């Protein structure tokens, strides 16, 4: 995969890839429509349309559209796009195709910070969790990147991966330590711990939006850096890139994207890991295509998983984090076996 | 930690409770114990044998060092006048784990060793040198039982045919009363509570036959209680009947999760909601909750006082007694709206 990387694509591949991207966008649009039209309570299309066009706050069915389905669709779109991009970048930066944002300790850091916030500060709302999740994700990534950069050869992919794994384990132990000794905190935390698009206030979206836009811009500006890094540090340097700066910038993008997605929806497994692989099957290794493709496919997967979750456990719902894990794990194994992922 | 313990209020209530119990002390007992003992042995008549999910357990002589692990086990032992040497704080009230509705004379004179709730260290239990382990309302998990039974002490797990955490207050009272040789006291406590429920229902004939939907909100989702769990039983004792549309959802658990899209399920003659780990505002301010017809009409009780919702959920005799005092006026008011 890595040795095949070229920074210039033959012209004839561009048209089908662009077409594919448009198709992906159409599919995503359909998923958005489905996400607003389908749910635990069956609403006829006319009601859905009516709710969208003539919102009546006194009508419980209209409230379902505006208070439940639209916010969670928005969160699914944004968090999905963020996870997809973050997955591509982290795999590119660490040159580790099995990497996902967990490798920077981002999820574990967010969890730890939320648990501390619940336990010590009595934070008990989703909108309150956002900031602590974000803080935790950022601190974790800074710590991992900082420790990984110590020593003579700076931040190599291997050092980052090892540091990340160690910190992830440490954060998890601390989190578990607090949870087993504090029942009340456990009660609250366990609902955040499984990623979900439901029950999140639309205020969460407003809070997260500026961060996400910054993250999207950073991510979509990084294909050249990632293509360079994919060739190896020496070649990248030979191409005139500042490897350390490029890697640091990408890490910032991952923290912002992943931290915000985690803050909004809780830890959602496999989307950031599997989607870039699926995208790579279509696009090949060029990050100029890989990034936009992942940005479109990941929210598609996330919304589809969320819709499935709403339908299979009625009158309750299955949280999206459970669905993505259930779907993602076998897909991932199949991908690894078929493509013989190389590191 | 987030719940400061209202000590002063607790002791005032304790006085009040004592008075109420004294006044209502003449009830009639209808329920017979489920064990095969022909007559309940009086205090001091040991050995006793009690049927549990893991077979009959024999307590050879009156226990002196009781370790209470199940939800409410320590409170029931205290209610019967026995002080456990080790206890689990299921209601996270902190300190010695005694709920504020416990009267002063039922508090510990010597602080017990506080043990974990979901996870229990067998080593810690062994160190307390117990002669009886109570685990009557717990997971009823075989591995947990085996670990405790390995200490060579009688272990009272969930009752025969019981479900995890679904032991009723009557079963719990009955089992613990027998094991501690306090059957007379247990009988009195039971009769008192039965009478108090009966009196509440008698003074409010307007509740009779009205439907109630009992639910909770956690930080993750809404849930509806089903299958006659303790919260449903509480409302039924007041004369209500479980909402049929909620009961229709029942599987083998005592609650089902309810999608925010299906809030219509909570519509009944009365809607009762407990916040669990969230503030009551998160329920009352939820536009979807406000749109439920019974809620819109004011036929709704949302427990904003954590102690009340803990008592409502406690399924212990004194917790339920406290809940009657607190919940009854709220229900009366909501039904009158």
């Amino acid at each position: 995969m890595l040795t095949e990387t070229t920074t210039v694509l033959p012209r004839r591949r561009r048209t089908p890839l662009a077409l594919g991207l448009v198709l992906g966008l159409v599919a995503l649009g359909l998923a958005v429509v489905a996400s607003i039209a389908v749910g635990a309570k069956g609403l006829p299309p006319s009601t859905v349309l009516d709710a969208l066009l003539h919102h009546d706050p006194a009508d419980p069915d209209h409230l379902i559209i505006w208070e439940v389905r639209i916010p969670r669709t928005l969160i699914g779109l944004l968090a999905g796009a963020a996870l997809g991009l973050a997955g591509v970048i982290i795999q590119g930066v660490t040159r580790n195709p099995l990497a996902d944002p967990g490798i920077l300790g981002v999820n574990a850091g967010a969890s730890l910070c939320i648990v501390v916030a619940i336990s010590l500060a009595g934070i008990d709302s989703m909108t309150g969790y956002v900031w602590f999740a974000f803080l935790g994700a950022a601190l974790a990534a800074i710590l991992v990147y900082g420790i990984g950069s110590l020593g003579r050869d700076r931040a190599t992919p291997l050092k980052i991966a090892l540091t990340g794994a160690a910190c992830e384990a440490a954060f998890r132990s601390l989190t578990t330590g607090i949870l087993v000794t504090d029942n009340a905190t456990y009660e609250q935390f366990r609902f955040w711990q499984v990623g979900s698009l439901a029950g999140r206030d639309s205020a969460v979206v407003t809070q997260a939006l500026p961060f996400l836009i910054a993250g999207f811009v950073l991510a979509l500006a990084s294909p050249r850096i990632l293509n360079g890094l994919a060739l190896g540090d020496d070649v990248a340097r030979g191409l005139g890139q500042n490897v350390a700066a490029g890697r640091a910038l990408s890490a910032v993008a991952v923290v912002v994207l992943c931290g915000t997605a985690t803050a909004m929806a809780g830890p959602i497994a496999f989307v950031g890991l599997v989607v870039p692989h699926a995208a790579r099957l279509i696009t090949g290794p060029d990050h100029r295509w890989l990034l936009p493709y992942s940005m479109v496919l990941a929210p598609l997967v996330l919304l589809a998983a969320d819709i499935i979750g709403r339908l299979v456990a009625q009158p309750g719902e299955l949280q999206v984090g459970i669905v993505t894990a259930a779907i993602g794990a076998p897909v991932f194994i199949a991908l690894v076996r078929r493509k013989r992922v190389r590191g | 930690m987030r719940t400061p313990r209202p000590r002063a209020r607790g002791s005032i209530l304790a006085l009040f409770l004592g008075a109420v119990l004294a006044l209502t002390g003449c009830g009639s007992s209808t329920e017979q114990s489920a064990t095969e003992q022909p007559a309940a042995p009086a205090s001091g008549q040991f050995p006793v044998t009690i049927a549990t999910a893991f077979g009959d357990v024999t307590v050879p002589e009156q226990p002196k060092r009781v370790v209470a692990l199940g939800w409410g086990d320590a409170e029931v032992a205290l209610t019967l006048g026995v002080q456990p040497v080790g206890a689990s704080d299921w209601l996270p009230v902190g300190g010695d784990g005694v709920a504020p509705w416990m009267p002063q004379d039922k508090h510990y004179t010597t602080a017990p060793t506080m043990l974990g709730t979901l996870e229990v260290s067998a080593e810690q239990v062994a160190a307390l040198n117990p002669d009886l382990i109570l685990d009557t309302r717990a997971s009823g998990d075989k591995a947990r039982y085996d670990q405790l039974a390995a200490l060579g002490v009688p272990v009272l797990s969930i009752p025969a045919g019981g479900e995890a955490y679904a032991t009723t207050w009557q079963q719990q009272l009955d089992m613990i009363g027998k094991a501690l040789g306090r059957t007379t006291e247990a009988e009195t406590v039971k009769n008192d509570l039965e009478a108090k429920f009966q009196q509440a229902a008698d003074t409010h004939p307007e509740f009779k036959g009205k439907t109630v939907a009992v639910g909770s909100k956690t930080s993750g989702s809404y849930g509806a209680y089903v299958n006659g769990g303790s919260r449903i039983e509480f409302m039924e004792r007041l004369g209500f009947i479980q909402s049929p549309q909620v009961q229709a959802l029942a599987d083998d658990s005592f609650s089902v999760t309810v999608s925010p899209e299906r809030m219509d399920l909570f519509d009944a003659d009365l809607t009762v909601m407990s916040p669990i780990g969230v503030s009551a505002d998160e329920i009352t301010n939820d536009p979807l909750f406000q749109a439920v017809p019974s809620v819109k009409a004011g036929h709704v009780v949302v427990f904003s006082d954590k102690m009340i919702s803990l008592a409502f959920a406690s399924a212990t005799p004194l917790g339920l007694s406290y809940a009657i005092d607190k919940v009854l006026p709220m229900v009366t008011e909501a039904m009158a709206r």
Side-chain angles (χ1 to χ4, degrees), chain A:
Chain A
M1 164 189 100
L2 299 167
T3 47
E4 296 160 14
T5 307
T6 48
T7 42
V8 181
L9 274 179
R11 199 179 185 91
R12 61 194 153 77
R13 282 203 65 196
R14 282 193 199 159
T15 320
L17 280 179
L19 210 64
L21 197 57
V22 171
L23 273 179
L25 277 170
V26 170
L28 183 58
L30 290 176
V32 168
V33 171
S35 176
I36 292 174
V38 179
K41 181 166 187 188
L43 297 176
S46 57
T47 309
V48 176
L49 213 59
D50 201 36
L52 290 176
L53 298 177
H54 319 281
H55 177 40
D56 173 9
D59 185 333
D61 289 345
H62 290 199
L63 282 175
I64 289 176
I65 301 290
W66 284 96
E67 295 290 330
V68 180
R69 294 193 193 166
I70 290 178
R72 76 192 294 175
T73 305
L74 269 177
I75 291 173
L77 268 178
L78 295 171
L83 288 171
L85 289 175
V88 173
I89 298 175
I90 200 87
Q91 289 171 12
V93 162
T94 60
R95 285 205 293 275
N96 177 355
L98 293 181
D100 77 346
I103 210 161
L104 275 184
V106 169
N107 280 350
S111 299
L112 179 58
C113 204
I114 288 185
V115 166
V116 170
I118 298 173
S119 181
L120 296 185
I123 304 293
D124 66 355
S125 73
M126 282 294 162
T127 36
Y129 294 170
V130 173
W131 299 106
F132 287 97
F134 196 73
L135 181 71
L139 288 178
I142 292 168
L143 188 69
V144 168
Y145 201 82
I147 297 176
S149 304
L150 294 176
R152 208 162 42 86
D153 47 357
R154 298 289 180 82
T156 66
L158 180 65
K159 277 164 69 186
I160 293 179
L162 288 175
T163 316
C167 287
E168 177 99 357
F171 296 154
R172 289 219 180 285
S173 316
L174 286 171
T175 305
T176 311
I178 297 173
L179 290 179
V180 294
T181 50
D182 186 346
N183 262 333
T185 300
Y186 173 74
E187 264 301 311
Q188 283 187 48
F189 176 72
R190 66 198 177 102
F191 291 99
W192 183 86
Q193 193 180 22
V194 183
S196 171
L197 307 182
R200 268 65 170 164
D201 208 290
S202 35
V204 169
V205 179
T206 332
Q207 288 178 2
L209 208 56
F211 292 99
L212 282 175
I213 291 172
F216 290 157
V217 170
L218 263 182
L220 293 173
S222 69
R224 214 180 65 84
I225 297 169
L226 294 173
N227 280 348
L229 286 175
L231 300 171
D233 289 9
D234 292 340
V235 179
R237 258 181 224 112
L239 289 171
Q241 287 193 2
N242 183 339
V243 172
R247 196 169 271 138
L249 199 67
S250 309
V252 171
V254 169
V255 170
V256 173
L257 289 170
C258 204
T260 320
T262 307
M264 282 198 296
I268 292 177
F270 283 107
V271 173
L273 184 64
V274 168
V275 169
H277 277 285
R280 210 175 276 118
L281 287 179
I282 306 168
T283 65
D286 187 344
H287 286 88
R288 285 177 302 174
W289 289 105
L290 200 45
L291 284 164
Y293 260 86
S294 295
M295 191 181 180
V296 171
L297 292 183
L300 177 63
V301 168
L302 197 57
L303 285 180
D306 188 46
I307 294 168
I308 292 171
R310 293 181 221 173
L311 297 180
V312 295
Q314 295 189 30
E317 291 183 359
L318 218 53
Q319 287 157 301
V320 74
I322 297 173
V323 182
T324 57
I327 300 173
V331 171
F332 179 63
I333 291 167
L335 278 173
V336 170
R337 287 181 54 92
R338 282 185 62 191
K339 284 291 287 179
R340 294 189 175 275
V341 174
R342 285 160 290 171

Side-chain angles (χ1 to χ4, degrees), chain A residues 38-41 58 60 63-64 67-69 118-119 122 124-126 129 182-184 186-188 191 310 315-317, chain B residues 1-2 89 92 117-118 218-221 249 257-262 264-265 276-279 282 287-288 291 296:
Chain A
V38 179
K41 181 166 187 188
L63 282 175
I64 289 176
E67 295 290 330
V68 180
R69 294 193 193 166
I118 298 173
S119 181
D124 66 355
S125 73
M126 282 294 162
Y129 294 170
D182 186 346
N183 262 333
Y186 173 74
E187 264 301 311
Q188 283 187 48
F191 291 99
R310 293 181 221 173
E317 291 183 359
Chain B
M1 175 175 339
R2 289 169 39 247
D89 185 3
T117 50
L118 292 174
T218 59
S219 53
S221 64
L249 308 173
T257 55
V258 172
S259 157
E261 301 198 357
R262 293 305 313 277
D264 55 302
L265 288 168
I276 299 180
V278 298
S279 65
E282 281 197 45
L288 294 159
K296 209 186 267 180

Side-chain angles (χ1 to χ4, degrees), chain B residues 93-269:
Chain B
V93 290
D96 55 7
V98 181
W101 50 77
M102 291 299 279
Q104 209 58 50
D105 65 332
K106 302 290 188 195
H107 279 217
Y108 291 99
T109 48
T110 311
T113 301
M114 295 312 291
L115 301 160
T117 50
L118 292 174
E119 298 288 334
V120 177
S121 150
E123 214 168 300
Q124 239 186 328
V125 174
L128 291 169
N129 195 22
D131 50 15
L132 175 68
I133 296 172
L134 299 175
D135 202 23
T136 73
R137 190 186 291 145
S139 64
D141 180 43
K142 177 91 168 71
R144 177 178 165 114
Y145 174 79
D146 288 345
Q147 204 186 11
L148 293 171
L151 301 176
V153 178
V155 177
L156 233 54
S157 186
I158 62 172
E163 300 275 348
Y165 300 106
T167 307
T168 66
W169 65 267
Q170 295 96 327
Q171 287 171 323
Q172 186 177 36
L173 191 56
D174 184 57
M175 290 173 88
I176 296 178
K178 279 208 180 71
L180 300 180
R182 304 280 171 120
T183 45
T184 328
E185 290 87 341
E187 198 68 16
T188 311
V189 170
K190 187 167 100 176
N191 293 342
D192 289 351
L193 185 59
E194 304 259 9
K196 191 166 172 179
F197 269 122
Q198 193 57 52
Q199 197 200 11
D202 288 346
T203 46
H204 292 282
E206 76 271 20
F207 297 165
K208 192 152 182 59
K210 293 289 195 310
T211 58
V212 63
V214 187
S216 64
K217 186 180 193 317
T218 59
S219 53
S221 64
Y222 283 94
Y225 292 105
V226 290
N227 283 344
S230 69
R231 298 166 182 84
I232 301 291
E233 192 212 331
F234 184 96
M235 298 309 295
E236 283 177 343
R237 292 254 180 178
L238 299 183
F240 289 92
I241 54 170
Q242 158 87 320
S243 157
Q245 65 167 351
V246 172
Q247 188 55 39
L249 308 173
D251 48 21
D252 46 7
S253 166
F254 61 88
S255 90
V256 290
T257 55
V258 172
S259 157
E261 301 198 357
R262 293 305 313 277
M263 301 294 285
D264 55 302
L265 288 168
F266 291 117
D267 186 31
D269 293 326

Side-chain angles (χ1 to χ4, degrees), chain B residues 29-48:
Chain B
S29 157
T30 45
E31 294 225 357
Q32 240 339 310
S33 70
T35 61
E36 48 212 292
Q37 294 282 316
S43 182
Q45 291 187 339
F46 281 87
V48 290

